[in-house]
Amino acid sequence: MASEACSLVLGRGLSCTKPRARPPIARLRPSLRVSGKMRNRNLSSQQKRQQAKRVPSRQFPLNMDTQSHKNNNSEAQESSVAGISRSGEKTISSDDADSDINREMNVAVLTPEETNIVIENDVRQSHSSIRLEDLISMIRNAEKNILLLNQARIHALKELDKILSEKEALQAEINNLEMKLAETDARIKVAAQEKINVELLERQLEKLKNEMSSKNSVKEGKHGILDRESPLVLELNDLRKENEFLKDDIQTLKLKLADVSETEEHVSLLGREQSALKASFRELQSQFANAQDDVSKLDSLQCECKGLSIKVENLQALFDNARQKLDHPSLDLQQYHELQKKVDKLEASITETNMSKFPSEKFHRFDEILQQKIDILEKRLQESDLEIHSQIEMFQESVREFHHTLTKLKEESEKRSQKSSLENMPWEFWSRLLLIIEGWLLEKKISPNDAKLLREMIWKKDAQIHDAFLASRSKNEHEKVATFLKLTYSRKSPGLHIIHIAAEMAPVAKVGGLGDVVSGLGKALQRKGHLVEIILPKYDCMEHDLITDLKALDVVVESYFDGRTFKNKIWIGTIEGLPVYFIEPHHPAKFFWRGKYYGEHDDFKRFSFFSRAALELLYQAGKKPDIIHCHDWQTAFVAPLYWDIYAAKGFNSARICFTCHNFEYQGTAPASELASCGLNVHHLNRPDRMQDNSAHDKVNPVKGAIVFSNIVTTVSPTYAQEVCTIEGGRGLHETLKSSSKKFVGVLNGIDTDAWNPSTDNYIRVQYSADDLQGKAENKDALRKLLKLSSSKVTQPLVGCITRLVPQKGVHLIRHAIYRTLELGGQFVLLGSSPVAHIQQEFEGIANHFQSHSHVRLLLKYDDALSHLIYAASDMFIIPSMFEPCGLTQMIAMRYGSVPIVRKTGGLNDSVFDIDDNTVPVQYRNGFTFITPNEQGLSNAMERAFQYCIRSPESWQQLVQRDMRLDFSWNSSATQYEELYERSVARARATTRV
């Protein structure tokens, strides 16, 4: 019976074997009920649901050949009839068969295999014959259900594809909305700033209206008196006419109020120009004073040289006279010998005459004459001998004097050469020598006073300590210490002792601009004669290969944290000539062994520990610095720690300077965490101290540093003004306003040694402002490297090197790419984004321009390639929403790339528009725009392209002017030097009082 049922099903095109598995369709399983009209449904709906629960749901195959079922329908009927008649079994009643069939069909939608199994079971269980037409009807209904199910599945797949495509479209819209939201936030900030300016103008206008109304009221009060006196009535009419004129003037003033903001900007520019001129004047004065000293030294040297030359000429004359006189006595001596011979001959002849007894008066006379001549000759000989001896003595004395003078000149020359060699000794030598002294002090091998005296000798670059170091190189440690201690005596310090405590320092531990400031400012102050030292954490991920003479000291400094003391290992080394101390905490949390500098969950604890350990190192070493300079929130803890804890211990010689490089990052944390480093939470969690202005249960390290520091600075004058507003201050504007007397903006500089096109090894051809041919060759090299078109040599190339974050104006950078193409230029971008959707968007743009001949996007950072882009670019795009300082524009101008920037922060202090007539011509160095939108940027780019293409000679002059601008650290270091000295002088004056 089972085989007959199976053959019956197979005859209709259905398989008894298990169907092939199909991948499931997630979340789309349409439930279909069996369709078709069934006769005699005997099961209730409740029984149907119970049976549906007992039978598991199945997934049907999509490929069902229903056409074959229809074609073989007649064959299936014949075979089924024949099979049933041969069975010899009784035929069951139609009601029983219908009941069994209905019970199976109301369970769920069945697969063909399940259908065959059900039929086989019914055949086995039946004791009578089954009706063929009911079975055929059941099979047809099953086929219809399978067909409907397949159609439903196909429809569901189509719906799924449609939903997925809609999802992708929605995700793209979400990304665009997020981008627009970031742009809107930036525009809101700018609009808020403009709103503040408008409110100020409205207040001024209201004040003018009040003044005019008061004047009118006074005039109306006098009107009654004027009516009685007719002469005054005329005057009143005149006053009324004058009042009308004044009203017209008010309208004119209202129209001119729009120019007030521009006038204020011009005034501020003039103020900055005045300060720059004053700084230049002071620098020229110092140079003039130095030149006068050099001239006076040259005059004295010239006088000495003239005196020496006169002495040499006199000595030469004396030498010639002595030689001549020595020659004359020799001639007289020869004559004397000849006369002596003649006398001897005469005496012999006289003797012979006497012997011959031929006396004669003539002979007597002749004898007397000869005797007289002999006497005269003897006197002359004696006089010549005396003169010869005196001349010889004078000559010997002159020779001795000459040798003495020559020896003196040699000694002076040696001293000058030695002093010059000492001045030219690299700072690495003096820093290494200083670290040796500090190491001996920490190891208790010398006293603090001896260390101070030796330190002062190093400051002055004393030749004695230089010679002592060279002489003791082969000696042991004890002998070295003894040699240096012999040099100690009272000396005067030539400069300030400045210690920087920071979380970064280029190039060994650099994340952003902070590292460049610490190293650049430190080297500039060192060149000015100040003693500069740096204290850093010893990160496991820093560039150890860039540290010279790195070694650990045989000393351990213990510092307080979390209720106990922890040991710290101290390392020393030099970085680009600067002495540096590295603190390695022996803390179980391994604060600086994390493989990165920032971004840890316990950064507050890490850097508060470091700040306490740094001050403990200075205290235990007995140092007495003049200035302790801390940077950003990571070392802002130094200020309250110094005044609340260490000043009470007698460590109070220093003034504290705090520099905030970006007020976006303030390091706020729950107030309870402040107690870990030993600070009193109850004492400091107050509105006038460290309590955060936005959340009173948190403390703000940056606010604490502002309150407790003697000097507070940021990285540009304009940014200093911006952070005093509600939008720019990020909650600290009121604190900064209350500290305005000690708050100043100092524009950062760049390392002009590292960024120098005339010595840069990263670029293809080195060049300078006097020879720009190399810049064109670098442009050609970059085009070939990036496979850009080189058909037009004069085609402007626009560069952009930046982090792709909303602060940098990514929507304007995107616009600049397409606008550059419209203006006929080429565009190169180097940079990446930590924001996923921004990175994804620019990857799409990069792929779009992958084979374009005028655009190339490199979504990475490559230091070597950045040098070549600076050297090759004609223009540089920097459309920042806000920029505390910015170094890109300075580097670009250093390489002759004209900047196109938005007027904000440090960009406003370093780039001045070429068309701004309020700025002196020599300071105009780029193209600027104010409104942070596409129109503002487009206008600036259009002006730049027109200037470059239409006036190539003027453009070249602009490039040369930009390259000659001084953006080194010298000017910034001078401003910091003045701030330091003024603060130290006030402190000393207070101490004397």
Side-chain angles (χ1 to χ4, degrees):
M1 185 67 68
S3 61
E4 292 173 356
C6 186
S7 64
L8 177 64
V9 176
L10 288 172
R12 298 189 58 81
L14 298 176
S15 174
C16 288
T17 58
K18 185 177 181 180
R20 290 180 299 173
R22 184 186 61 83
I25 302 175
R27 297 186 301 273
L28 291 172
R29 299 195 59 179
S31 59
L32 298 175
R33 300 182 64 87
V34 178
S35 63
K37 296 181 179 180
M38 306 294 292
R39 292 172 299 142
N40 301 324
R41 297 178 181 269
N42 299 324
L43 295 176
S44 64
S45 60
Q46 184 175 1
Q47 290 173 333
K48 294 176 183 177
R49 285 194 297 270
Q50 291 174 353
Q51 292 178 1
K53 291 179 182 178
R54 289 196 298 270
V55 180
S57 62
R58 305 284 180 168
Q59 291 184 347
F60 295 92
L62 296 177
N63 298 324
M64 300 296 292
D65 191 359
T66 57
Q67 186 66 32
S68 61
H69 299 170
K70 296 178 181 180
N71 295 336
N72 299 328
N73 190 20
S74 59
E75 296 177 6
Q77 293 177 3
E78 293 175 0
S79 61
S80 61
V81 170
I84 293 173
S85 64
R86 286 194 301 269
S87 63
E89 296 181 354
K90 294 181 180 180
T91 303
I92 61 174
S93 64
S94 62
D95 293 338
D96 294 335
D98 290 345
S99 177
D100 291 338
I101 292 170
N102 290 337
R103 185 166 58 253
E104 294 296 329
M105 291 300 295
N106 279 278
V107 174
V109 178
L110 302 178
T111 63
E113 183 179 2
E114 291 171 338
T115 304
N116 294 338
I117 294 170
V118 170
I119 294 172
E120 185 176 355
N121 292 335
D122 288 342
V123 171
R124 286 179 179 177
Q125 292 175 3
S126 62
H127 298 286
S128 61
S129 61
I130 186 169
R131 293 182 62 182
L132 179 61
E133 58 186 19
D134 292 338
L135 184 61
I136 292 171
S137 177
M138 178 187 70
I139 292 172
R140 287 178 178 175
N141 289 333
E143 289 176 355
K144 291 179 181 179
N145 290 336
I146 292 170
L147 181 61
L148 290 172
L149 180 61
N150 289 335
Q151 291 176 352
R153 285 176 177 166
I154 292 170
H155 180 71
L157 287 174
K158 291 180 180 179
E159 290 293 329
L160 176 62
D161 293 337
K162 184 177 179 181
I163 290 170
L164 290 175
S165 62
E166 290 177 355
K167 180 183 177 183
E168 292 177 356
L170 287 173
Q171 187 63 42
E173 291 181 3
I174 290 171
N175 292 339
N176 291 331
L177 289 173
E178 289 179 352
M179 179 69 70
K180 291 180 180 179
L181 179 61
E183 296 173 2
T184 305
D185 290 338
R187 291 176 181 175
I188 289 172
K189 294 177 183 177
V190 175
Q193 293 179 357
E194 294 178 353
K195 181 181 177 182
I196 293 173
N197 295 332
V198 171
E199 289 177 354
L200 292 175
L201 292 175
E202 289 178 351
R203 291 174 186 171
Q204 293 178 0
L205 179 62
E206 187 67 26
K207 186 176 180 181
L208 288 173
K209 288 182 179 180
N210 293 334
E211 291 178 357
M212 293 305 302
S213 62
S214 62
K215 289 181 181 179
N216 292 334
S217 62
V218 170
K219 290 178 181 179
E220 289 175 359
K222 294 180 179 180
H223 181 69
I225 300 173
L226 293 174
D227 287 339
R228 300 169 193 168
E229 300 176 14
S230 59
L232 296 177
V233 172
L234 298 174
E235 185 177 357
L236 177 61
N237 294 330
D238 294 335
L239 289 173
R240 287 176 178 173
K241 292 179 181 180
E242 184 178 356
N243 189 19
E244 294 296 326
F245 292 140
L246 287 174
K247 289 181 179 179
D248 295 335
D249 292 338
I250 289 173
Q251 295 297 326
T252 305
L253 286 174
K254 288 180 180 179
L255 296 175
K256 291 183 178 180
L257 277 175
D259 300 330
V260 171
S261 60
E262 296 182 359
T263 305
E264 290 178 350
E265 290 180 1
H266 297 164
V267 170
S268 63
L269 287 173
L270 291 175
R272 287 193 295 272
E273 180 183 351
Q274 182 181 8
S275 61
L277 290 173
K278 285 182 179 179
S280 301
F281 180 71
R282 287 194 295 270
E283 186 176 357
L284 289 173
Q285 281 182 330
S286 62
Q287 292 178 357
F288 180 73
N290 295 331
Q292 285 182 332
D293 295 337
D294 294 337
V295 169
S296 62
K297 292 178 181 178
L298 288 173
D299 292 339
S300 62
L301 288 173
Q302 287 178 351
C303 294
E304 290 179 5
C305 290
K306 288 180 180 179
L308 290 173
S309 62
I310 293 171
K311 288 181 180 180
V312 171
E313 291 174 358
N314 293 335
L315 288 173
Q316 188 66 36
L318 290 173
F319 184 73
D320 294 338
N321 291 333
R323 183 180 294 172
Q324 291 175 1
K325 289 181 179 180
L326 285 173
D327 293 338
H328 287 299
S330 62
L331 294 174
D332 293 338
L333 189 60
Q334 291 176 0
Q335 293 176 0
Y336 172 74
H337 288 302
E338 291 176 356
L339 288 174
Q340 188 68 32
K341 290 178 181 178
K342 291 179 179 179
V343 170
D344 293 339
K345 290 179 179 180
L346 287 174
E347 288 180 346
S349 62
I350 290 171
T351 304
E352 291 176 356
T353 302
N354 289 331
M355 291 176 65
S356 301
K357 296 182 179 180
F358 290 121
S360 174
E361 294 179 359
K362 291 183 179 178
F363 285 109
H364 285 292
R365 290 178 182 174
F366 187 70
D367 186 26
E368 290 175 357
I369 292 170
L370 287 175
Q371 191 65 38
Q372 291 175 358
K373 288 183 178 180
I374 290 168
D375 293 338
I376 292 171
L377 286 173
E378 287 179 350
K379 289 180 180 179
R380 288 181 64 184
L381 285 172
Q382 289 176 359
E383 291 175 357
S384 296
D385 289 337
L386 292 173
E387 188 175 358
I388 287 169
H389 286 299
S390 64
Q391 292 294 335
I392 289 172
E393 289 177 356
M394 289 177 62
F395 176 73
Q396 291 175 346
E397 182 66 25
S398 299
V399 169
R400 285 194 295 270
E401 185 178 355
F402 177 76
H403 282 296
H404 178 71
T405 305
L406 188 61
T407 304
K408 188 176 179 180
L409 285 172
K410 287 181 179 179
E411 291 177 353
E412 290 178 356
S413 178
E414 289 176 355
K415 288 181 180 179
R416 289 194 189 97
S417 63
Q418 187 178 18
K419 184 177 180 181
S420 177
S421 64
L422 289 175
E423 290 293 334
N424 294 328
M425 285 290 290
W427 273 105
E428 284 83 356
F429 171 81
W430 300 108
S431 297
R432 181 183 176 190
L433 196 55
L434 178 65
L435 290 172
I436 290 173
I437 301 301
E438 299 299 340
W440 289 343
L441 175 62
L442 290 171
E443 294 167 353
K444 309 297 183 184
K445 294 179 179 178
I446 59 176
S447 67
N449 291 332
D450 292 335
K452 180 181 179 182
L453 295 174
L454 292 172
R455 211 180 285 132
E456 290 172 354
M457 295 178 73
I458 295 172
W459 295 350
K460 294 180 68 174
K461 296 184 178 179
D462 196 295
Q464 289 182 323
I465 198 166
H466 170 269
D467 297 338
F469 174 74
L470 296 179
S472 62
R473 283 188 297 181
S474 60
K475 298 179 180 180
N476 58 38
E477 192 78 2
H478 180 72
E479 292 174 342
K480 285 182 181 179
V481 174
T483 303
F484 276 81
L485 288 177
K486 293 177 181 178
L487 304 175
T488 56
Y489 56 89
S490 178
R491 292 173 179 270
K492 184 179 178 181
S493 173
L496 297 173
H497 185 186
I498 304 162
I499 296 177
H500 289 269
I501 303 176
E504 296 181 35
M505 181 182 182
V508 297
K510 174 176 162 33
V511 175
L514 168 60
D516 295 314
V517 171
V518 173
S519 57
L521 178 59
K523 288 188 289 186
L525 291 170
Q526 189 183 61
R527 286 192 293 268
K528 288 180 174 292
H530 303 288
L531 173 62
V532 181
E533 297 177 295
I534 317 292
I535 302 179
L536 295 175
K538 190 176 185 300
Y539 299 102
D540 59 338
C541 55
M542 66 184 182
E543 301 290 339
H544 292 83
D545 295 340
L546 301 178
I547 306 172
T548 306
D549 297 327
L550 179 64
K551 69 173 185 178
L553 294 178
D554 186 18
V555 65
V556 173
V557 174
E558 293 188 351
S559 62
Y560 174 89
F561 200 75
D562 279 337
R564 53 167 292 194
T565 58
F566 292 90
K567 294 181 179 180
N568 298 277
K569 190 174 184 179
I570 308 301
W571 297 71
I572 58 174
T574 57
I575 300 174
E576 296 184 348
L578 290 168
V580 184
Y581 299 85
F582 302 93
I583 296 178
E584 180 184 354
H586 289 180
H587 191 279
K590 296 189 178 298
F591 284 142
F592 301 109
W593 289 83
R594 307 286 184 86
K596 59 182 179 179
Y597 302 108
Y598 306 135
E600 293 292 288
H601 68 282
D602 58 347
D603 275 356
F604 191 92
K605 283 184 174 292
R606 294 170 69 214
F607 291 103
S608 61
F609 180 98
F610 167 68
S611 299
R612 179 70 186 259
L615 288 174
E616 193 66 33
L617 170 63
L618 299 180
Y619 175 66
Q620 294 187 22
K623 289 180 178 289
K624 299 293 182 182
D626 298 301
I627 295 291
I628 296 177
H629 196 150
C630 47
H631 300 264
D632 277 347
W633 77 263
Q634 287 85 0
T635 56
F637 305 96
V638 167
L641 282 168
Y642 180 80
W643 292 115
D644 268 19
I645 296 177
Y646 288 93
K649 297 180 179 181
F651 179 34
N652 58 359
S653 64
R655 303 295 94 181
I656 305 297
C657 178
F658 171 69
T659 298
C660 185
H661 299 258
N662 193 335
F663 281 89
E664 286 284 323
Y665 310 103
Q666 300 178 12
T668 57
S672 58
E673 292 193 16
L674 193 63
S676 295
C677 63
L679 289 172
N680 189 328
V681 178
H682 180 72
H683 176 65
L684 294 175
N685 189 26
R686 290 164 43 180
D688 60 337
R689 297 189 181 175
M690 292 187 69
Q691 187 180 80
D692 187 63
N693 294 337
S694 301
H696 295 168
D697 60 336
K698 293 185 177 181
V699 289
N700 189 325
V702 173
K703 179 182 177 181
I706 295 171
V707 172
F708 283 91
S709 296
N710 305 100
I711 307 167
V712 181
T713 69
T714 191
V715 292
S716 69
T718 299
Y719 188 59
Q721 297 175 4
E722 292 174 352
V723 296
C724 289
T725 64
I726 297 175
E727 294 77 16
R730 299 296 186 268
L732 291 176
H733 55 285
E734 294 296 338
T735 305
L736 289 168
K737 285 181 181 179
S738 62
S739 304
S740 59
K741 292 183 179 180
K742 62 180 180 181
F743 179 49
V744 64
V746 179
L747 188 68
N748 284 345
I750 60 173
D751 189 341
T752 52
D753 294 329
W755 298 102
N756 186 355
S758 62
T759 60
D760 195 336
N761 294 323
Y762 289 116
I763 61 179
R764 297 296 174 86
V765 181
Q766 297 172 350
Y767 62 98
S768 65
D770 299 323
D771 181 14
L772 293 176
Q773 181 60 33
K775 184 169 180 63
E777 295 180 20
N778 283 297
K779 183 177 180 180
D780 183 64
L782 181 67
R783 283 173 165 174
K784 291 179 179 177
L785 178 66
L786 302 181
K787 298 180 181 179
L788 296 174
S789 174
S790 302
S791 58
K792 291 181 63 178
V793 177
T794 59
Q795 185 178 15
L797 177 63
V798 181
C800 183
I801 300 176
T802 183
R803 290 182 301 113
L804 295 172
V805 293
Q807 172 196 339
K808 301 297 183 180
V810 289
H811 65 292
L812 297 179
I813 295 173
R814 181 179 62 245
H815 174 74
I817 297 172
Y818 297 96
R819 189 60 182 145
T820 299
L821 291 177
E822 293 172 0
L823 294 172
Q826 294 179 316
F827 194 94
V828 176
L829 168 69
L830 178 65
S832 61
S833 176
V835 184
H837 71 271
I838 296 178
Q839 180 74 10
Q840 184 178 1
E841 178 187 3
F842 275 84
E843 286 175 354
I845 299 174
N847 293 332
H848 176 72
F849 290 108
Q850 186 174 5
S851 58
H852 201 280
S853 59
H854 298 301
V855 176
R856 196 69 72 241
L857 274 65
L858 308 166
L859 302 181
K860 61 179 181 178
Y861 182 74
D862 186 329
D863 185 56
L865 183 58
S866 70
H867 285 249
L868 184 57
I869 293 175
Y870 280 121
S873 299
D874 298 299
M875 309 169 195
F876 232 81
I877 293 287
I878 314 168
S880 301
M881 295 295 98
F882 72 93
E883 192 66 67
C885 177
L887 303 179
T888 304
Q889 75 278 12
M890 301 180 191
I891 299 172
M893 287 187 278
R894 177 81 166 156
Y895 282 75
S897 183
V898 178
I900 302 174
V901 307
R902 179 175 173 267
K903 291 174 67 67
T904 181
L907 298 174
N908 185 52
D909 296 319
S910 55
V911 181
F912 305 99
D913 196 276
I914 198 72
D915 296 325
D916 190 350
N917 295 326
T918 62
V919 178
V921 176
Q922 63 270 23
Y923 292 110
R924 301 179 198 173
N925 53 5
F927 298 86
T928 65
F929 63 99
I930 299 176
T931 308
N933 57 23
E934 289 83 356
Q935 185 61 42
L937 176 60
S938 294
N939 292 338
M941 292 182 67
E942 289 169 8
R943 290 190 294 116
F945 271 78
Q946 291 175 3
Y947 196 85
C948 177
I949 296 171
R950 297 179 182 177
S951 306
E953 295 181 358
S954 300
W955 181 268
Q956 183 172 350
Q957 294 174 2
L958 173 62
V959 170
Q960 291 174 328
R961 190 162 65 243
D962 283 359
M963 293 183 69
R964 293 190 177 104
L965 291 173
D966 182 14
F967 287 109
S968 68
W969 272 103
N970 291 333
S971 176
S972 304
T974 300
Q975 295 182 59
Y976 272 107
E977 186 180 38
E978 293 175 357
L979 292 172
Y980 293 159
E981 291 176 346
R982 197 180 306 132
S983 181
V984 170
R986 284 197 298 265
R988 290 173 180 171
T990 304
T991 303
R992 284 195 296 269
V993 173

